[in-house]
Amino acid sequence: MSAKPWTLRLLERYFLALLVVAICALVVMMGITVANVLMRYLFNAPISGAYDLVEICLPISVFLALPSAIAAGQPIVIDLIDGIVGEGTVRVLKTIAGAAGAIILAFLFWAMWKPAHDAYVYGDVKPEFGFPVWIIWAFALFGVFNSALSAIATLILQGSTRGHNDLQDGAA
Amino acid sequence: MSPAIIGLIAIFALFGILLLRIPVWIALLICGLIGNTILINFQAAASITGTIAFDTVSNYGLSVIPLFILMGEVATNSRLSAELFKAARIILSGIPGGLAVATIGASGAFGAVCGSSVATAATMTRISLPEMRKAGYDDGLSGASVAAGGTLGILVPPSIILVIYSAIAEQPLPQLFAAALIPGIILMFLYIAVALFIARRNSARAPMDPPATLKQRVFALKDSWQFLILFTVSIGGIYAGIFSPHEAAAIGATGAIILGAVARRLTWAALFTALKASAFTSAVLFSIILGASIFANFVVQTKLPDLLLAGTQALHLAPWAVMLLVVVIYIIMGCFLEGIGMVLITVPVFLPVVMNFGYSPIWFSIIVVIVVELGMIHPPVGMNLFIIQAQAPEIDIKRLYVAILPFLLAPFGLIALLMLFPQIALWLPSVLY
C-alpha cells in the first residue's frame, strides 16, 4: 500500500480539526442545557442566554462536521441503479454526483454570503445574549466553504484512484 | 404552464435525479433552486436558498436531533443494547422463537433511547444475530427479526422522524412522542406475534433456549436498570412536563455518558467514537433537512397541495379512501426514497389534504412514521436489510427479502388498527396534555 501524499494527510488533519470543533460545540450545547435545567430546578435561577447559546452552537456543530461527513462519503445516496448498470457507468455517475455536490456547495457559499453580509451591516444580535449574528454566519460560511473543498478533494481523489478514495478511508 | 404542474414535474425530476446517484440533499436543493428560479427569478431563488440554509440549521426546535443521536450513540458504545438483549434472552428462555422475540423486545427497548431505525438495526445485528446463528436459528428469520425490530427505533419515542415532522407540521413534539408510545408497543407485540407464529409452525427454524429459573429471570431484570433510568428520566420527563424535548435530549445524552462511565463500560475512545458519529450523523441529517426545506418552500409556492386537495374533493372519495391512497403513495415512494427526505417532501403536500378530510395531524404523524418504517424493510431497498447484509455478508439479501414478508403484516395491521381506532394514537396525548 503506497503512503498517502502530504496534501492528503494535511487535509485529513484539517477536517479532523474542524470535526473536533463541531464536537466541542455539541458538548457545549449539551452541557449548557443540562446546567440550565439544574440551575432552574435547584436554585430557581435559569442561565440567561442558554437558549441563544444552543442556537449558536447548533450551526457551528453541523456546518463544521459537514466537511468530514462529505470526505467520509456519508451523504445518503439511492444506489438502486448499481445493480442495473455496469461498474464503469457507476463510476461515471459517482463523478457526476461528486461534481454536482461541489458545484452546489460553492453555490450555497455564494448564496449565503449576501444574508451574512446583511447580518453584519444591520448589526443583528441574539436577543438574550447580545451575541452578533454575523459571527454565526461566518462559522456557517466557513463550514460550507470547507465542505466545498472537501467535495472537490473527494472528486479529485476519486478520479485519480478510479473509485477507491483514500480521503474517505481517513475520515471514516 | 401553471405552478402546480411545474411542481409535479419537479417531483418527477427529483426521482430521476435521485436514481442517478446524486446525494439526496443535493438533489432536493437542485430541484428546489431550479423550481424557485422558474417561479420567481434566480436572484430571489438564491436569496431564499441562502436564508433557508442558515435558518434551518439554527432552528432551536431541531437541536434535539444531535442530542438524541448522541444519547443513542453513547448507549450503543457503552453496550447498553447488549445488556438489554441479555436480559430479554434470559426472561424469554424456554419459549420457541425466544431469541427472535428477545431481539424484537430489546430493539423496542433500545429504540426508546436511540431514535434511529438504522442505528437500532446495526446495533442489534452485532449483538443478537451471532447469538441466533449460534443457537441454530434460520438465517432468514434471524435477519428478519433484527430488521423488523430495528424499525421500532423510529416509532418508539424519541423518534428523529417525529422531531422533523414536528418542525415542518408545526405540531408540539411532546404530543407526538406521547402519540407514538402505544402504537410503538402494539407494533412490537405484533412483530413478536409474527416471530412466535413462524417459530411454532417450524421449530427447526427457531430452536428453544433451555428455560431459566424464576430467580434467574428476576435477576436478569436488574441488568436493564440503566435503560430504565435513561428512559424514565428523558422521555418520562417530557411526558411529565418536567423537561422540554431539547432538555430531555441533553439530559438523556449526559445521563447515558454518566451511566456508561459509572458502569465502566464507556471508555474515552468509545466516547469520542460516539461524539464523532453523532456529529457525522447530525451533519448528514441536517444537510437533508436543509435541501428538503428549500424543496418544500418551492412546493408550497407551487400551490400543489391546493391542487391535490381540489383533485381529491372532486373525486368525492370517502376520507378512509383518501387515507388509503396516501398510504399507498407512501409505500410506493418508500421503494425509492430515504425516510427523512420522504417525510420532508411529502408532509407539506399531504398534510393539508389529510387535515381537510378531518384527520388529526398528530394521528397522521404516526401513520407517516409507520409507512417510513415499512420502507426500511420492504424490497427493493429496505435499508435495514442492507444494514444487516453489510454486517453479515454470508446471508443472501434475497433470503432476507423473503423472510421479511410475514413481518410486513405487522405494520400493515397497525395501520389498519389506527384507521379503525384513532384513539390508539390520540388517547395518551389527550390524557397528558
Side-chain angles (χ1 to χ4, degrees):
Chain A
M1 202 163 121
S2 61
K4 289 178 186 177
W6 68 270
T7 45
L8 192 63
R9 285 202 309 270
L10 193 70
L11 262 183
E12 272 176 21
R13 284 182 191 174
Y14 176 56
F15 291 150
L16 183 65
L18 296 183
L19 182 65
V20 170
V21 178
I23 288 171
C24 290
L26 180 62
V27 173
V28 169
M29 204 158 72
M30 178 181 75
I32 191 71
T33 308
V34 173
N36 186 38
V37 171
L38 291 177
M39 290 296 286
R40 192 175 70 216
Y41 279 107
L42 297 180
F43 305 106
N44 198 25
I47 299 170
S48 170
Y51 183 94
D52 277 359
L53 203 54
V54 169
E55 281 195 344
I56 293 166
C57 288
L58 183 61
I60 293 175
S61 176
V62 171
F63 281 118
L64 293 192
L66 197 55
S68 294
I70 289 170
Q74 297 267 331
I76 296 168
V77 168
I78 311 290
D79 56 5
L80 277 176
I81 201 160
D82 291 15
I84 304 164
V85 298
E87 264 182 46
T89 313
V90 171
R91 220 168 22 237
V92 171
L93 289 174
K94 276 185 180 176
T95 307
I96 293 170
I103 292 166
I104 281 295
L105 281 159
F107 165 78
L108 196 59
F109 179 82
W110 174 78
M112 287 170 74
W113 184 267
K114 172 84 172 52
H117 184 253
D118 287 349
Y120 176 73
V121 170
Y122 295 115
D124 296 349
V125 291
K126 283 283 173 191
E128 286 181 9
F129 221 30
F131 189 82
V133 173
W134 71 266
I135 297 178
I136 315 168
W137 271 101
F139 271 106
L141 282 171
F142 184 62
V144 173
F145 172 80
N146 283 293
S147 302
L149 187 68
S150 174
I152 293 166
T154 307
L155 188 65
I156 292 169
L157 284 166
Q158 218 167 30
S160 64
T161 54
R162 292 181 71 83
H164 181 75
N165 188 341
D166 283 335
L167 194 61
Q168 288 186 356
D169 293 348
Chain B
M1 198 185 295
S2 77
I5 300 297
I6 295 171
L8 269 179
I9 293 171
I11 288 175
F12 284 110
L14 177 68
F15 287 137
I17 296 173
L18 284 173
L19 290 175
L20 291 177
R21 278 189 131 272
I22 302 284
V24 174
W25 81 279
I26 299 283
L28 287 161
L29 205 151
I30 290 172
C31 290
L33 175 69
I34 294 174
N36 275 332
T37 302
I38 295 168
L39 286 185
I40 323 166
N41 58 54
F42 179 70
Q43 282 301 327
S47 172
I48 289 168
T49 304
T51 310
I52 289 181
F54 184 77
D55 289 349
T56 305
V57 182
S58 317
N59 182 343
Y60 183 87
L62 295 176
S63 63
V64 298
I65 294 177
L67 294 173
F68 271 134
I69 291 172
L70 180 60
M71 180 165 87
E73 287 291 343
V74 172
T76 306
N77 282 282
S78 56
R79 304 200 311 274
L80 177 65
S81 41
E83 290 299 320
L84 281 171
F85 177 70
K86 202 174 100 190
R89 180 179 189 169
I90 295 170
I91 293 163
L92 296 161
S93 59
I95 298 172
L99 274 180
V101 176
T103 300
I104 295 165
S107 299
F110 188 64
V113 292
C114 178
S116 155
S117 175
V118 169
T120 307
T123 306
M124 296 315 291
T125 303
R126 284 197 296 272
I127 293 156
S128 64
L129 198 68
E131 294 298 321
M132 282 194 275
R133 300 185 82 193
K134 213 189 295 172
Y137 270 56
D138 171 70
D139 278 350
L141 174 63
S142 308
S145 309
V146 174
T151 65
L152 294 166
I154 51 167
L155 182 56
V156 176
S159 156
I160 302 296
I161 297 268
L162 284 177
V163 173
I164 290 165
Y165 182 95
S166 158
I168 48 173
E170 295 175 348
Q171 294 300 315
L173 187 57
Q175 292 200 25
L176 298 182
F177 277 179
L181 187 65
I182 295 173
I185 293 168
I186 292 177
L187 186 60
M188 187 175 76
F189 281 112
L190 289 173
Y191 280 141
I192 287 173
V194 174
L196 287 175
F197 178 76
I198 295 168
R200 280 189 194 279
R201 268 191 59 146
N202 187 352
S203 57
R205 291 181 72 190
M208 201 163 51
D209 258 2
T213 62
L214 181 66
K215 192 178 166 189
Q216 283 172 321
R217 288 176 210 259
V218 173
F219 270 91
L221 273 175
K222 81 172 174 51
D223 288 336
S224 51
W225 66 275
Q226 289 190 18
F227 153 74
L228 286 173
I229 289 179
L230 268 184
F231 182 75
T232 310
V233 171
S234 60
I235 303 304
I238 300 174
Y239 288 162
I242 299 169
F243 309 130
S244 70
H246 168 80
E247 290 169 348
I251 284 171
T254 310
I257 293 170
I258 293 170
L259 288 171
V262 167
R264 295 177 181 279
R265 282 200 297 247
L266 187 67
T267 60
W268 284 108
L271 179 60
F272 183 70
T273 305
L275 286 165
K276 195 172 137 183
S278 307
F280 266 6
T281 311
S282 304
V284 171
L285 285 183
F286 270 92
S287 63
I288 293 178
I289 297 169
L290 184 159
S293 301
I294 291 160
F295 187 74
N297 172 282
F298 155 68
V299 170
V300 170
Q301 291 197 63
T302 62
K303 297 199 167 44
L304 188 61
D306 297 348
L307 179 78
L308 208 61
L309 181 59
T312 44
Q313 280 171 340
L315 287 171
H316 300 293
L317 292 172
W320 67 266
V322 173
M323 258 328 289
L324 199 66
L325 203 63
V326 169
V327 169
V328 169
I329 293 170
Y330 267 115
I331 291 167
I332 295 168
M333 287 176 85
C335 295
F336 310 101
L337 270 182
E338 176 277 334
I340 289 173
M342 185 163 85
V343 170
L344 283 157
I345 298 164
T346 55
V347 169
V349 178
F350 288 146
L351 187 61
V353 178
V354 169
M355 283 173 71
N356 191 268
F357 279 87
Y359 289 103
S360 151
I362 289 176
W363 174 86
F364 183 60
S365 72
I366 307 304
I367 296 285
V368 168
V369 174
I370 299 167
V371 286
V372 168
E373 278 186 341
L374 262 168
M376 305 293 292
I377 51 173
H378 75 62
V381 182
M383 180 69 92
N384 283 8
L385 301 175
F386 279 117
I387 296 284
I388 293 161
Q389 214 259 336
Q391 290 183 70
E394 61 281 7
I395 301 178
D396 185 20
I397 191 77
K398 290 190 194 88
R399 195 162 182 188
L400 286 176
Y401 281 154
V402 174
I404 199 70
L405 291 177
F407 285 92
L408 295 179
L409 290 173
F412 278 120
L414 182 59
I415 290 172
L417 280 173
L418 280 164
M419 288 183 73
L420 290 169
F421 310 107
Q423 284 305 312
I424 291 172
L426 297 175
W427 175 75
L428 194 56
S430 71
V431 170
L432 290 175
Y433 305 103

